[in-house]
Every structure is written in C-alpha cells, then in structure tokens.
Amino acid sequence: MIGILGGAFDPVHNEHIELARAAAKELKLDALLVVPTFFPPHKNVAELEFADRAEILRRVFADFPVAVTVSDEEKIYFEECGGYCYTAEILPRLKKKYGDAVYIIGGDSFAQLESWMRPRDIIECAPVAVAARGGYENPREVKKRLFEGIFKGVPHGRVKLLRFAGTDTSSMVTRARLLANLPADIPEAAARYIAERGLFSRYKPICDKLKTMITAERYKHSLSVAVTAVEINMKCKLKQDFDKTLLAGLLHDCGKNSVNGVNTAIGADGVSGANTAIGADGDWFAGRVPLDAVGTKTEHQFTGAVIAEEIFGVTDKEILNAIRTHTTGAPDMTLLQRLMYTADAVEPLRDLEFADTADLRRSVFADFEGGFRATLKYTLDSLIARGIKIYPLTADAARYYLGAE
Ligand SMILES: [Fe+2]
Ligand SMILES: [Fe+2]
C-alpha cells in the first residue's frame, strides 16, 4: 500500500515530516507519494515557486524510512486541463498511475472536508488516514459528524484515525518566521536550500534598514510582534492580508528612537546620532505629531507612521493607521489596528516584562475581540496603577470599547 500526502508545502515543515513518518509506520506503507499543490503561475499564491517546493520536498524526504516520490501530477493536470486541481480529481489519476493508496491528512484539513469539492468521491476513491492536530477539532468527533452526514452509508473503515497527534505548527507562521529572518521549525535540508537560494528574503531590505534605526532589543520585539500578528490573524481567522499584517508588525516601532521630532537613530556601532535621512530639522514630522504627544511614550506611534511612509515608502493607509494607534488605541479602529494593538501587547517576549502577558495571549487566541478588550483594559489598569497620565486617545478607546469613564 502506498500513502499519499498532499499540501502546498510552502514550505514543508517538521510537522509534515512527523505526520508522514507516523503514517508510514502505523499504516505499514510500502511507499509514500508526496503531492505538492500547483498554483497557476499568473496568480501564484504561494511564496515559493512550484519547482522550489518540489525540490525541497525531494531533499527532505531523501532519507525517509520508505521510498518517497515527489509527484508533479498537479502541474501536469494544470497543463492538461488548465484549471485548479481538486483532490477529488487528482486522486483517481494517482490511483491509476500508482495503484491502491491511502490518503493521509491532518486533523485541520479533515475538519474542513465538508467544504471540499466532492468529498464523497475522495473517500470512495481512497481510504483516508487522519492525524489529530493541536488546536483543531478532535478527528473522532469530526468522523462521527461526517458519517452521520455526507458520508452516510460509507463503511466506517474508510476513515482510519492515526494514533499520532501533531502540534499546531503551520506553514503560514513558518513563512512569517522565515520572512522575518527568525528560526523556523523546518528540516535542516529545507533550511540549507532556502539559504543557498536566498529564498524568503523579500523583507530583508526593510529588516536591514530597521535594524540600524532601533535598538537590538526593540528590533527583536518588532520581529516577534510581526510573527505574533500573523499567528493571531491565522488562528482567529481574521482574514487580514498576510503582507499588510507582517509589514505593520515589523515597522510598528520604527519611530521608537524619534524624540521631539528628530530621529535619534542608533547606528550599528550603538552610537546614537541624528538620522541624516530625516534631516535635523525634523521637517517631516511638522504637523504630523500631536504636540501633546511630544516627549511622551506615545510619541513614537505618530513619528513611526511618518517614518514608515517617508523612509520605508509605505503608502497603504491601513498600515500607517495601524502604526499610528498601536500604543494608545483609538475609538472605532479597523481590524488591522486592533490586531496590531493586541499583537504588540501580547507577543511572547513581553512575558519577561509583564506577568500577565501569557494569560492575555491565551485569551486573544481563544476569542480575538474579547482578548483585544481584555488587553485594552489591562493596559489601562496598569497605566493607572503606575500613575502614568492617560493619553486622550487611550481614554477615548476605553470609552468606546469598554464603556469606561
Ligand atoms: Fe510601540
Ligand atoms: Fe512595540
């Protein structure tokens, strides 16, 4: 029996390998067929080209316990049929070429099977083996629901629940980590290939510049906020644009070293001095930073929005607004603004600073809007407890979202 493992693999991460390894052992597979998704070139939604994803898979599966073939069947399908290839269409083609097979999926995909194209055709073509995944619906319950519904009448043995239970590692968070130049949970061979080819380097110029403008600690925090924002966006299904989320997170504190309208950027040597790109007169800030914010902890959100626009060339108003309110919050914020406000407060590196950050983070992942309001309340209470003057925008945000006086 061969196993079929499909997915975008953009990029393949360790969880994919663990799932494949467990399935090969539990199902006593003779061979494994790995089938990366092909996206039409004119609307390639993947970060990596098909050829790179397939080559990375070949390298990481080179020393797998059973023989592995990385299939380009989806690419062939596109060339022949010209359209997106659904699992219900690809499985019969693979079966014809390779013989009887079992289709291996994670609990996240299994929980969504009802929304797939012709799921009954899938299960009638090949038995499905499912592994649970942390953070997703229990496959046992999903199986019960499916067999009472769309799979009614299909023998229950067509779905096998694997003993292996995976973590919630996701390709989207892995992508965000790689783009932010952070260590990611991917196989060694994948990391080597990515480094050799300079893949995932779209944000490198921005990161390199940012690094010269803020402290090393602030830079680490910025990367962490960007990745946390992507993770919240994905897990809470906020449907915010991936790049807007990542970019707003990376740049949210780019004004942190601006004081009184002049950016006192810290150079690589750690010596501070006026940023000549801005000009000592700080003209760009004139009229764009409220006077009552100058010299306060909230100043950097306003200078940050100016720097993001003038130095980093950001023109997207939603991103600039998200930077402009990330510290104080504001009434009637967009979802991206609320996301940035929250991610800034609950990113994991904050745990060292504030004892309650981990609790807040958990509440955000459980229910974003509730978690956002809890974060706002926590921030307000902590400002009051420390005797820090509440900036008017924060008071307005509290009234708007918490009904607080
Ligand atoms: Fe900030
Ligand atoms: Fe921040």
Side-chain angles (χ1 to χ4, degrees), residues 131-148:
R133 280 192 71 186
Y136 293 93
E137 204 180 344
N138 183 339
R140 203 170 294 282
E141 281 155 27
V142 179
K143 182 177 175 180
K144 189 166 174 285
R145 190 176 75 227
L146 292 174
F147 280 91
E148 282 167 1

Side-chain angles (χ1 to χ4, degrees), residues 218 221-222 225 249 252-253 256 300 326-327 340 343-345 347 350:
R218 187 59 46 183
H221 159 75
S222 301
V225 168
H252 82 284
D253 269 346
K256 197 69 185 181
H300 78 283
H326 81 265
T327 310
M340 281 310 139
D344 183 32
E347 64 92 0
R350 289 267 198 213

Side-chain angles (χ1 to χ4, degrees), residues 94-218:
L94 294 171
K95 202 170 159 182
K96 209 166 150 194
K97 274 193 185 172
Y98 298 95
D100 279 345
V102 54
Y103 185 59
I104 304 159
I105 57 175
D108 50 330
S109 304
F110 189 57
Q112 290 177 2
L113 208 59
E114 286 139 309
S115 65
W116 287 24
M117 182 70 87
R118 304 200 310 269
R120 205 171 162 113
D121 286 4
I122 296 175
I123 196 132
E124 281 170 356
C125 178
V128 173
V130 189
R133 280 192 71 186
Y136 293 93
E137 204 180 344
N138 183 339
R140 203 170 294 282
E141 281 155 27
V142 179
K143 182 177 175 180
K144 189 166 174 285
R145 190 176 75 227
L146 292 174
F147 280 91
E148 282 167 1
I150 56 166
F151 290 166
K152 205 172 189 137
V154 175
H156 283 221
R158 295 297 279 178
V159 171
K160 183 175 169 48
L161 302 179
L162 296 170
R163 284 191 301 277
F164 172 78
T167 66
D168 65 348
T169 302
S170 85
S171 284
M172 194 183 282
V173 174
T174 304
R175 270 198 301 283
R177 294 191 68 85
L178 291 168
L179 286 166
N181 209 15
L182 288 168
D185 192 17
I186 57 172
E188 268 285 319
R192 263 199 310 276
Y193 184 89
I194 287 166
E196 276 164 30
R197 306 283 167 123
L199 303 173
F200 290 100
S201 56
R202 281 194 295 131
Y203 285 91
K204 195 172 180 301
I206 287 173
C207 290
D208 287 349
K209 193 185 278 265
L210 183 66
K211 213 184 222 173
T212 66
M213 296 174 70
I214 51 180
T215 64
E217 200 183 353
R218 187 59 46 183

Side-chain angles (χ1 to χ4, degrees), residues 5-10 16 34-41 43-54 57 70-78 83-87 90 103 116:
L5 182 65
F9 302 111
D10 187 33
H16 293 127
V34 182
V35 192
T37 312
F38 182 78
F39 299 103
K43 51 174 181 182
N44 198 340
V45 292
E47 186 72 34
L48 297 177
E49 299 284 343
F50 178 83
D52 285 320
R53 287 183 283 127
L57 285 167
V70 176
S71 162
D72 55 1
E73 191 63 30
E74 290 224 7
K75 185 166 183 269
I76 297 168
Y77 178 95
F78 177 77
Y84 181 79
C85 177
Y86 294 100
T87 304
I90 202 82
Y103 185 59
W116 287 24

Side-chain angles (χ1 to χ4, degrees), residues 224-300:
S224 183
V225 168
V227 170
T228 302
V230 166
E231 195 174 359
I232 296 172
N233 185 34
M234 186 202 69
K235 288 191 179 155
C236 300
K237 301 188 173 67
L238 304 186
K239 299 199 170 94
Q240 296 300 288
D241 180 83
F242 176 85
D243 282 291
K244 280 191 189 191
T245 305
L246 194 68
L247 186 56
L250 288 174
L251 293 183
H252 82 284
D253 269 346
C254 70
K256 197 69 185 181
N257 293 318
S258 309
V259 178
N260 299 337
V262 177
N263 188 338
T264 57
I266 294 177
D269 56 357
V271 179
S272 69
N275 187 327
T276 52
I278 288 184
D281 58 359
D283 264 353
W284 285 351
F285 298 113
R288 294 159 88 178
V289 179
L291 289 179
D292 62 355
V294 172
T296 72
K297 277 191 181 298
T298 62
E299 180 184 25
H300 78 283

